[in-house]
Amino acid sequence: MTPSDGDGLGVDLHLEVGAGGGRRAALIAALREAVRGGRLAPGTRLPPYRSLAADLGIARNTVADAYAELVAEGWLTSRQGSGTRVAERVAAPAPGPVRPTAPPPLPYDLVQGKPDPGAFPRAAWLASARRALTDAPHEAFGIGDPHGRIELRRALVEYLARVRGVRTTPDRIVICSGAAHALRLLARVPGAAGPWAVEAYGLPFHRGLFAEAGVSTLPVPVDENGIRVAELPRHAGAVLLTPAHQFPTGGPLHPERRAGVLEWARASGALVVEDDYDGEFRYDRRPVGAVQGLDPERTVLLGSVSKSLSPALRIGWMCLPSALVDGVVAAKGLREPYASATEQLTLADFLVSGAYDRHVRRMRQRHRGRRDRLVTALAERVPEVRVTGIAAGLHAVVELPPGTERAALAAAARHGVAVEGLASYRHPEARGPARPDGLVVGYATPPERLYETAIQALCGALTASLPA
């Protein structure tokens, strides 16, 4: 209900009070149930008598009597100048059945794939947001184009060409909420029909996503040079790759294999889907261009700001072959519900102004320093292990002696370290020998004040779990 202007409270309250006799009793019962069920929390101010009476179509005295009865019973309180409120001492709703709860998070988070939330460039982002909103056309606040904001697509064309060697145009970019959203859309497009070939080591989440879409996945072995192109199945409709920095093992796709995978795609009529998940972060090697730049009509490049800025922004992109654009947009739908138009406009300004480049350079230095500290600590305290996949990205693979991965994970948990085992990333249908036992250690997430302690806790866990 909406009180009259004279009330000055602006309080709305929905109650179901039946017609006919007994209105006072029905109102009392309805108010009791609203308090008992938690709809009216302790301290909530109720509408004045006349407002509620007018809304419910009952006499003002009936409401006054109902309030007085509930005050007498202890459900409500009434004080001069404060109005009528739900009593603070009313018991909370009875708890439902006990449900299992997730265990509390471990204090040292070394799980891969998550940037430090405290590193988000708030001041620079706010400056871009102000400029973007000031300059935005009125139509930006209407129903959006499912391709995404043109300002962002234009900015991405320039940025991706400059830093990743991508060849595309604004009309071939579709904005999405990240790599997972992109893969869901691609799985529904006829031009990317399954089954999909995938790297034998990769994200289980992606395999589950394909399974939900009814697309089977065919694991292909990987080694230090990336996916073994010679073992790609001819009947696959697409292959999902992480060529800049194989996830999770860490190496780039060898140049000969980059050319080979495109030859395979052309010969079999398949699609190459390139997940450029952390291409900005490289340390000890020259920049690696995107495979997409070698054949834009046979390759889809997926990117996002989840690693470079924040997964909370929910902004990603697809650089598509021209033949797939309409199908992806149709799969996305006309009223695209994922990426906010205002955040797309802000990211466009962030890119064009150079703020994104400055942020990436700053974070590259920070991550390189963290990686070096991790490698040094492990070399000094746990010389039995070997650290690989460290030339780029936000994680390292700590290779362990055979048969020790489970013990290392258990010891890490006892030492308060959240970390993942390499075996959890292996496709359940993968053929051939598995990679050595190992831990996938992310070094981006912990705040600086906890990072050194987290490294030492990891070293302690490994020392305790490895054979003497």
Side-chain angles (χ1 to χ4, degrees):
M1 58 145 278
T2 304
S4 63
D5 293 340
D7 297 325
L9 296 175
V11 176
D12 289 343
L13 176 60
H14 173 76
L15 292 173
E16 294 289 347
V17 179
R23 305 300 296 279
R24 174 179 174 279
L27 177 58
I28 290 173
L31 286 167
R32 259 198 223 108
E33 183 56 34
V35 175
R36 185 186 293 114
R39 278 206 307 121
L40 292 177
T44 300
R45 187 171 185 173
L46 299 184
Y49 305 150
R50 63 179 176 275
S51 298
L52 188 57
D55 190 64
L56 296 177
I58 60 180
R60 178 181 172 185
N61 287 343
T62 300
V63 178
D65 290 347
Y67 278 12
E69 175 68 23
L70 292 170
V71 168
E73 293 178 4
W75 292 92
L76 306 178
T77 61
S78 182
R79 294 177 55 189
Q80 184 69 31
S82 181
T84 304
R85 297 178 181 270
V86 177
E88 294 288 347
R89 68 185 184 88
V90 172
V98 176
R99 301 180 185 275
T101 57
L106 296 172
Y108 308 120
D109 188 354
L110 296 180
V111 174
Q112 62 75 33
K114 299 181 292 183
D116 175 8
F120 185 79
R122 300 187 190 203
W125 185 259
L126 180 59
S128 282
R130 285 173 172 159
R131 286 192 297 268
L133 292 177
T134 299
D135 297 339
H138 295 319
E139 55 87 14
F141 303 99
I143 296 173
D145 181 346
H147 292 79
R149 289 300 309 173
I150 185 62
E151 297 90 342
L152 177 55
R153 290 185 281 131
R154 287 172 178 159
L156 286 169
V157 167
E158 187 278 331
Y159 175 78
L160 294 173
R162 174 167 53 84
V163 303
R164 304 292 292 122
V166 170
R167 293 190 291 148
T168 191
T169 56
D171 59 307
R172 289 170 51 184
I173 292 180
V174 174
I175 304 301
C176 55
S177 66
H181 183 205
L183 290 174
R184 286 191 177 97
L185 294 173
L186 288 171
R188 295 162 55 190
V189 175
W196 282 45
V198 297
E199 294 163 326
Y201 281 82
L203 281 172
F205 171 67
H206 287 168
R207 295 197 295 270
L209 182 153
F210 285 123
E212 290 174 4
V215 175
S216 60
T217 53
L218 309 172
V220 181
V222 296
D223 57 27
E224 65 276 5
N225 292 318
I227 196 167
R228 295 180 184 173
V229 175
E231 299 186 44
L232 281 167
R234 290 286 178 183
H235 63 289
V239 60
L240 175 61
L241 298 177
T242 50
H245 185 227
Q246 201 286 320
F247 182 85
T249 61
L253 187 62
H254 191 277
E256 290 183 5
R257 295 190 182 181
R258 292 160 69 89
V261 75
L262 289 172
E263 291 175 6
W264 166 85
R266 296 181 194 117
S268 59
L271 189 68
V272 176
V273 180
E274 177 178 11
D275 185 358
D276 197 34
Y277 69 100
D278 63 359
E280 295 92 344
F281 299 115
R282 51 177 172 76
Y283 314 118
D284 304 324
R285 71 179 192 204
R286 292 181 177 180
V288 178
V291 173
Q292 189 271 358
L294 302 176
D295 192 341
E297 291 300 333
R298 187 53 63 185
T299 308
V300 175
L301 180 127
L302 312 181
S304 79
V305 296
S306 294
K307 306 293 187 296
S308 57
L309 282 171
S310 167
L313 291 179
R314 310 308 304 147
I315 298 180
W317 51 85
M318 292 178 273
C319 300
L320 295 161
S322 54
L324 286 186
V325 174
D326 289 345
V328 169
V329 170
K332 194 179 181 189
L334 293 178
R335 299 198 176 191
E336 187 272 312
Y338 295 96
S340 161
T342 56
E343 290 187 342
Q344 290 182 54
L345 291 167
T346 301
L347 179 58
D349 182 274
F350 206 67
L351 287 164
V352 172
S353 69
Y356 188 77
D357 287 275
R358 291 190 291 273
H359 173 72
V360 167
R361 285 196 296 271
R362 184 168 58 251
M363 297 310 296
R364 191 181 292 149
Q365 290 181 331
R366 175 180 179 175
H367 296 326
R368 182 201 295 266
R370 287 189 166 207
R371 180 209 61 177
D372 292 347
R373 289 156 66 187
L374 171 67
V375 172
T376 299
L378 289 169
E380 291 175 351
R381 292 196 54 188
V382 200
E384 304 94 323
V385 304
R386 176 171 174 256
V387 186
T388 63
I390 58 174
L394 305 179
H395 73 271
V397 175
V398 179
E399 294 187 357
L400 306 173
T404 60
E405 184 174 312
R406 288 187 179 182
L409 288 170
R414 291 194 299 272
H415 282 71
V417 178
V419 70
E420 295 173 322
L422 185 58
S424 66
Y425 293 100
R426 179 175 162 86
H427 195 292
E429 299 173 17
R431 308 179 308 277
R435 303 281 295 184
D437 282 20
L439 300 181
V440 180
V441 180
Y443 44 79
T445 305
E448 188 57 35
R449 62 185 174 80
L450 292 179
Y451 185 62
E452 194 65 35
T453 311
I455 293 176
Q456 297 306 318
L458 175 67
C459 292
L462 291 172
T463 301
S465 63
L466 299 182

